């Protein structure tokens, strides 16, 4: 079976949206990526770090989904990474209120031996040097390395971020971050500039406006499913990336054509993630739910037009 190696945060999140707020709940980039990828019944592992305050039930939740956690370090006397965010009324933009790195500040990831030959590596949002260290531990060259990042690292570790971007195949980034990284307003020009930094494939996420996949002159666009209710967009980007990566691992096909399907799967899974607070919706998702929504996606985007 192909393997997926995921590195990213396991976190406590506190979230405020126009619909309500939560105290510290389960969050983190690796959590959302793992939950999405587990839908494909693949061999996936998370490399991360938590403090002694991280509940065992959160770890059980992930391992019960078949995710290997042997690469998760537990620092008994340490505190888990904590993030607090507040969404604006449009639900598309948010402010970070608190970022406490805690145990993440001194994290030296160790990739379990079994996953040093993983075909696909998903570098979730983390310090770029941590992402780089994971890549350096791979014993065989992965078929695909996907990287997700955010403005926090552009502000705090740009030079290191550019180093890791040089070494990857696919970058997933949101529209504002693509603009910040390149200084370009046009996303087409921004994607071209990002190609120049290294990645052959650039995925630009536009929240409720879908996602764009660029590969040189090829472009593919997937809308986001129009939803009646969006409760909490936290983790949608990670869920998208986890769905994308999981689909690639499952199908073992890294062609542009197959990546289009991966984008559709990513968008479909992300559409569930936003329906409830935190990981709630992703914890209880059946393959029937997913198939139904894929069908909705198909109907949304399919049309027959006669070309003259
Ligand atoms: P998303 O909504 O997909 O951008 O991801 C939200 C998740 O990212 C939350 O669960 C947070 O715990 C996590 N997160 C927020 N800030 C950071 C950061 N600076 N580094 C790593 N993970 C973060």
């Amino acid at each position: 079976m192909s393997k997926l190696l995921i590195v990213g945060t396991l976190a406590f999140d506190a979230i405020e949206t126009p619909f309500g707020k939560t105290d510290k709940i389960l969050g983190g980039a690796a959590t959302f990526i793992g939950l999405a990828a587990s839908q494909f019944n693949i061999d996936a592992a998370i490399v991360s770090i938590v403090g002694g305050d991280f509940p065992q039930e959160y770890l059980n939740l992930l391992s019960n989904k078949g995710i290997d956690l042997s690469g998760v370090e537990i620092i008994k006397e340490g505190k888990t990474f904590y993030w607090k965010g507040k969404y604006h009324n449009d639900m598309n933009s948010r402010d970070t209120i608190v970022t406490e790195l805690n145990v993440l500040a001194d994290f030296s990831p160790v990739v379990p031996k079994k996953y040093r030959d993983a075909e696909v590596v998903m570098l979730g949002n983390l310090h770029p040097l941590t992402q780089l260290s994971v890549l350096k531990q791979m014993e065989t060259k992965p078929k695909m390395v996907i990287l997700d990042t955010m403005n926090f690292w552009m502000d705090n570790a740009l030079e290191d971020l550019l180093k890791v971007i040089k070494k990857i195949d696919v970058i997933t980034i949101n529209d504002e971050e693509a603009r910040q990284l390149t200084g370009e307003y046009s996303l087409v020009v921004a994607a071209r500039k990002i190609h120049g930094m290294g990645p052959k494939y650039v995925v630009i996420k536009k929240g409720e406006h879908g996602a764009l996949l660029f590969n040189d002159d090829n472009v593919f666009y997937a809308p986001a499913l129009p939803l009646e209710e969006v409760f909490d967009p936290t983790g949608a980007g990670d869920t998208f990336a986890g769905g994308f990566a999981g689909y690639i691992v499952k199908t073992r096909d890294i062609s542009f054509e197959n990546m289009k399907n991966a984008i559709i799967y990513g968008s479909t899974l992300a559409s569930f993630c936003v329906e409830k607070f935190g990981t709630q919706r992703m914890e209880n998702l059946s393959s029937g739910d997913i198939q139904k929504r894929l069908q909705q996606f198909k109907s949304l985007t399919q049309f027959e037009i006669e070309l003259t």
Side-chain angles (χ1 to χ4, degrees):
M1 206 198 311
S2 295
K3 291 180 233 173
L4 172 64
L5 177 67
I6 300 162
V7 58
T9 42
L10 296 175
F12 286 127
D13 284 354
I15 302 155
E16 194 173 333
T17 80
F19 302 107
K21 61 201 273 193
T22 65
D23 252 341
K24 289 184 175 180
I25 56 171
L26 171 62
T31 305
F32 286 104
I33 295 168
L35 287 174
S38 71
Q39 293 298 330
F40 298 92
N41 295 318
I42 52 173
D43 186 357
I46 290 179
V47 169
S48 191
I49 189 167
V50 292
D53 54 353
F54 198 68
Q56 183 62 37
E57 60 169 292
Y58 288 173
L59 295 171
N60 294 348
L61 180 107
L62 294 168
S63 56
N64 289 341
K65 296 277 177 194
I67 303 167
D68 184 298
L69 299 182
S70 57
V72 175
E73 200 183 332
I74 302 173
I75 306 288
K76 278 222 166 71
E77 62 289 359
K79 279 173 74 182
T80 301
F81 173 76
Y82 170 52
W83 176 78
K84 181 173 183 177
K86 183 174 177 186
Y87 287 85
H88 300 166
N89 279 339
D90 68 2
M91 293 288 261
N92 245 352
S93 49
R94 71 183 176 205
D95 294 325
T96 288
I97 314 285
V98 180
T99 300
E100 281 178 17
L101 294 178
N102 297 330
V103 288
L104 209 61
D106 303 309
F107 179 37
S108 303
V110 178
V111 178
K113 182 98 185 105
K114 182 181 165 200
Y115 291 93
R116 290 189 190 170
D117 61 352
E119 285 82 357
V120 178
V121 178
M122 175 73 232
L123 301 174
N125 185 17
L126 263 184
H127 194 294
L129 289 182
T130 311
Q131 295 175 318
L132 209 52
S133 144
V134 165
L135 275 192
K136 283 191 183 143
Q137 292 175 51
M138 298 309 287
E139 286 169 1
T140 52
K141 191 175 160 30
K143 277 200 196 129
M144 182 182 273
V145 179
I146 307 162
L147 174 135
D148 190 53
T149 189
M150 74 187 295
N151 49 359
F152 183 84
W153 303 114
M154 290 174 202
D155 295 336
N156 295 300
L158 183 60
E159 228 173 90
D160 296 327
L161 180 61
L162 291 175
K163 269 189 221 154
V164 63
I165 286 180
K166 226 185 207 166
K167 296 187 180 300
I168 56 145
D169 305 293
V170 184
I171 184 169
T172 68
I173 192 169
N174 77 28
D175 42 2
E176 279 319 305
E177 290 155 357
R179 290 183 174 119
Q180 178 171 346
L181 186 61
T182 60
E184 297 290 344
Y185 183 80
S186 154
L187 295 178
V188 176
V189 179
R192 195 179 308 134
K193 272 202 171 173
I194 298 172
H195 279 320
M197 297 174 185
K200 292 184 284 296
Y201 301 93
V202 177
V203 178
I204 300 185
K205 300 171 285 184
K206 289 161 58 70
E208 65 169 332
H209 303 298
L212 289 154
L213 167 67
F214 294 90
N215 166 233
D216 294 327
D217 290 333
N218 295 321
V219 191
F220 175 68
Y221 171 68
L225 206 68
L227 295 170
E228 253 178 60
E229 287 178 326
V230 174
F231 265 102
D232 171 20
T234 308
D238 303 313
T239 301
F240 173 91
F244 180 91
Y247 184 79
I248 295 289
V249 171
K250 180 84 181 175
T251 54
R252 311 181 95 159
D253 175 353
I254 58 168
S255 66
F256 184 75
E257 282 311 304
N258 197 51
M259 272 190 218
K260 291 182 184 177
N261 291 339
I263 294 270
I264 297 291
Y265 259 96
S267 300
T268 301
L269 289 172
S271 78
F272 288 109
C273 175
V274 302
E275 286 181 335
K276 289 197 174 158
F277 268 109
T279 54
Q280 262 181 67
R281 187 65 179 100
M282 296 309 292
E283 288 172 29
N284 303 298
L285 198 55
S286 71
S287 58
D289 294 334
I290 299 172
Q291 291 306 314
K292 223 159 119 191
R293 206 155 271 191
L294 280 169
Q295 184 55 52
Q296 279 175 279
F297 241 102
K298 236 179 154 174
S299 323
L300 178 73
T301 49
Q302 221 167 27
F303 54 87
E304 301 295 329
I305 197 164
E306 294 263 332
L307 293 176
T308 51

